């Protein structure tokens, strides 16, 4: 710190003061990076609750500890719990339990030392006058700015806000496998020219293997679900009946009351038919209403490709690695078809109602497919 032993108290003080200022500047800079910069190793939803709230140094130690999980599992004796006892961070056996349960690392398991990302002294209870933490003016300005933007600007701003509001669903992810874009996509066989899905190519279509058509009689959506579920296309009346039983299930009455509200009887009526012939438009399968019922009744992931594209997870059950995925497509604005996809295809986002109403345990369903949903984005 001092170049030599020659000097008075003033020079020593100045030298120490300059050194402390430099160190404090470096510390503040590291805090800012922890707030706003995400390292590649920490983009997984597994770190969703920690990003922006925990020091990056702590995240690096956790990431290194996570590498031991495959060998240690959840065994405490093999783990040794050194990271927990020495640094106040989750050790290998803890991380193994979180990964096995399919849940992100909780913020509470990280010692408060690693969560203090400021040099400011915290106010005692009762000393806060509200000005430091009041966000009213900032939120008003955010809304004013949002309303003044065009559609593209609104989407960009919404994306940034969602990164803060839903940390476990951050769009940051490793890039998917590179797709060859030079030249056209060649497929064997003749394409059904009447399907809009082929005339407007998009990213997810490179994962489509083929389409399976069904009869167009107003029951096409239920025919597709019956075929996917193993009933055969002609088993569509059974699908209507089972979805009708689902919506009146006593164990889920509160769920559907919240989901459909004053439209509950309307949704139920759409499932009831008077004959087995062609059905009027009000009896056709419509999303998102039927999507929730299908995913819950058959405990599957329902993926819809159309306008808009959306994914439905079961709303009351946890993630299972063996869960089936049913993929359907909406074409010509009036017809449903079965879509056979390649393994690991990207999944479109879930609806806002699913996020609001699903049970806490159902969150693991979405987290189990987070990487594929990020690839879609």
């Amino acid at each position: 710190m001092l170049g030599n032993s020659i000097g008075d108290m003033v020079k020593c003080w100045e030298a120490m003061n300059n050194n402390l200022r430099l160190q404090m500047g470096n510390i503040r800079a590291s805090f800012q990076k922890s707030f706003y910069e995400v390292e590649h190793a920490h983009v997984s939803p597994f770190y969703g609750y920690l990003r922006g709230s925990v020091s990056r140094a702590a995240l690096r130690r956790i990431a290194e500890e996570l590498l031991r999980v495959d060998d240690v599992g959840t065994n405490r004796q093999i783990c040794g719990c050194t990271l927990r006892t020495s640094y106040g961070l989750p050790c290998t056996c803890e991380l193994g339990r979180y990964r096995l349960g399919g849940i992100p690392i909780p913020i509470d398991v990280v010692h408060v030392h690693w969560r203090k990302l400021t040099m400011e002294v915290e106010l005692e209870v009762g000393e806060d006058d509200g000005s430091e933490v009041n966000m009213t003016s900032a939120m008003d300005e955010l809304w004013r700015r949002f309303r003044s933007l065009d559609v593209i600007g609104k989407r960009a701003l919404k994306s940034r806000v969602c990164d803060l509001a839903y940390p476990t669903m951050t769009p940051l992810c490793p890039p998917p496998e590179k797709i060859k874009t030079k030249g056209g996509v060649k497929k064997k066989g003749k394409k059904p020219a009447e399907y809009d899905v082929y005339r407007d190519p998009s990213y997810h279509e490179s994962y489509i293997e083929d389409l399976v058509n069904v009869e167009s009689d107003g029951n096409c959506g239920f025919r597709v679900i019956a075929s996917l579920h193993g009933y055969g296309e002609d088993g569509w009346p059974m699908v209507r009946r089972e979805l009708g039983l689902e919506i009146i299930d006593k164990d889920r009455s509160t769920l559907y009351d919240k989901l459909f509200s004053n439209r509950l009887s309307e949704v139920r009526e759409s499932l009831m038919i008077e004959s087995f012939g062609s059905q009027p438009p009000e009896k056709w399968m419509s999303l998102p209403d039927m999507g929730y019922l299908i995913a819950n009744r058959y405990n599957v992931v329902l993926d819809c490709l159309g306008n808009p594209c959306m994914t439905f997870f079961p709303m009351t059950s946890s993630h299972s690695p063996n869960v089936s995925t049913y993929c359907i497509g909406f074409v010509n604005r009036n017809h449903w078809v079965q879509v056979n996809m390649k393994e690991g295809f990207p999944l479109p986002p879930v609806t806002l109602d699913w996020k609001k109403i699903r049970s806490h345990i159902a969150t693991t369903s979405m987290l189990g497919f987070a990487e594929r949903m990020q690839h879609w984005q």
Side-chain angles (χ1 to χ4, degrees):
M1 183 171 62
L2 298 177
N4 51 58
S5 59
I6 301 174
D8 53 22
M9 182 62 181
V10 174
K11 290 184 177 180
C12 291
W13 175 259
E14 290 179 350
M16 289 188 292
N17 186 50
N18 291 337
N19 195 34
L20 288 173
R21 285 177 177 274
L22 180 62
Q23 290 182 4
M24 290 180 66
N26 292 335
I27 293 173
R28 284 195 175 95
S30 70
F31 286 159
Q32 292 299 309
K33 288 185 177 181
S34 294
F35 274 125
Y36 301 115
E37 294 186 12
V38 180
E39 295 184 4
H40 179 77
H42 310 142
V43 298
S44 166
F46 194 57
Y47 300 95
Y49 294 135
L50 307 187
R51 285 190 302 267
S53 301
V54 170
S55 165
R56 292 203 303 174
L59 287 175
R60 293 190 192 106
R61 291 185 182 276
I62 293 174
E64 292 175 358
E65 193 77 356
L66 187 62
L67 298 176
R68 302 177 57 214
V69 168
D70 290 336
D71 297 325
V72 176
T74 59
N75 192 312
R76 280 191 172 186
Q77 294 182 341
I78 300 177
C79 173
C81 303
T82 302
L83 200 65
R84 166 57 65 197
T85 56
S86 301
Y87 295 95
L89 296 173
C91 56
T92 303
C93 62
E94 290 180 66
L95 296 174
R97 288 194 292 271
Y98 298 139
R99 193 166 77 173
L100 186 64
I103 60 175
I105 304 171
I107 186 71
D108 295 338
V109 302
V110 177
H111 192 276
V112 67
H113 165 78
W114 302 103
R115 290 184 269 155
K116 184 172 173 59
L117 302 179
T118 177
M119 299 290 290
E120 305 300 327
V121 178
E122 295 183 2
L123 295 175
E124 297 293 333
V125 176
E127 290 186 11
D128 184 13
D129 61 1
S131 60
E132 292 291 333
V133 294
N134 193 322
M135 292 183 60
T136 302
S137 59
M139 294 302 295
D140 290 342
E141 175 62 22
L142 189 63
W143 273 115
R144 186 199 64 77
R145 182 180 177 189
F146 180 80
R147 287 190 290 267
S148 67
L149 295 171
D150 58 14
V151 174
I152 301 301
K154 286 180 178 179
R155 288 179 178 175
L157 182 57
K158 179 182 177 182
S159 177
R160 295 172 64 184
V161 173
C162 286
D163 287 345
L164 297 175
Y166 309 107
T168 61
M169 288 300 297
T170 174
L172 295 172
C173 66
E177 182 181 355
K178 185 176 181 181
I179 298 175
K180 296 180 180 179
T181 57
K182 185 176 181 180
V185 178
K186 298 180 180 178
K187 289 182 178 287
K188 296 181 179 179
K190 186 177 180 181
K191 303 173 184 178
E194 70 274 18
Y195 289 164
D196 292 343
V197 71
Y198 283 105
R199 293 201 293 270
D200 184 20
S202 58
Y203 175 74
H204 67 265
E205 290 177 32
S206 64
Y207 289 84
I208 294 177
E209 290 187 333
D210 65 350
L211 305 178
V212 180
N213 200 8
V214 295
E215 185 177 348
S216 303
D217 61 351
N219 297 301
C220 56
F222 302 101
R223 287 179 178 274
V224 171
I225 298 302
S227 178
L228 286 166
H229 200 59
Y231 293 160
E233 180 182 334
D234 293 332
W236 61 267
M238 189 178 300
V239 173
R240 278 189 180 271
R241 179 178 178 276
E242 289 177 343
L243 296 184
L245 293 174
E246 172 65 22
I247 202 171
I248 61 173
D249 190 316
K250 292 182 179 180
D251 294 335
R252 291 175 176 163
S253 59
T254 303
L255 170 70
Y256 293 129
D257 284 340
K258 290 181 180 179
L259 187 61
F260 300 124
S261 188
N262 57 353
R263 297 178 47 255
L264 184 62
S265 60
E266 176 186 338
V267 176
R268 185 182 178 188
E269 283 292 327
S270 70
L271 291 166
M272 300 178 181
I273 57 175
E274 297 179 356
S275 65
F276 291 98
S278 297
Q279 304 299 326
E282 62 267 24
K283 300 295 184 179
W284 295 357
M285 189 178 84
S286 62
L287 295 186
D289 296 342
M290 292 299 126
Y292 302 119
L293 297 176
I294 293 168
N296 291 340
R297 180 67 183 184
Y298 302 120
N299 197 34
V300 298
V301 177
L302 178 66
D303 185 28
C304 171
L305 303 180
N307 187 17
C309 298
M310 59 187 84
T311 298
F312 299 89
F313 296 103
M315 303 180 79
T316 59
S317 59
S318 60
H319 171 65
S320 169
N322 299 320
V323 66
S324 298
T325 300
Y326 293 174
C327 189
I328 60 179
F330 193 58
V331 297
N332 294 342
R333 299 185 179 90
N334 65 356
H335 185 59
W336 292 101
V337 295
Q338 177 180 334
V339 185
N340 295 331
M341 305 289 284
K342 295 179 181 178
E343 186 176 355
F345 65 92
L347 293 180
V350 296
T351 66
L352 290 177
D353 283 341
W354 187 92
K355 292 181 179 179
K356 292 177 182 177
I357 300 175
R358 56 97 178 106
S359 65
H360 178 71
I361 194 174
T363 305
T364 59
S365 296
M366 184 171 61
L367 295 177
F369 291 89
E371 184 177 355
R372 289 169 63 180
M373 298 177 74
Q374 291 167 0
H375 284 178
W376 176 280
Q377 295 178 6

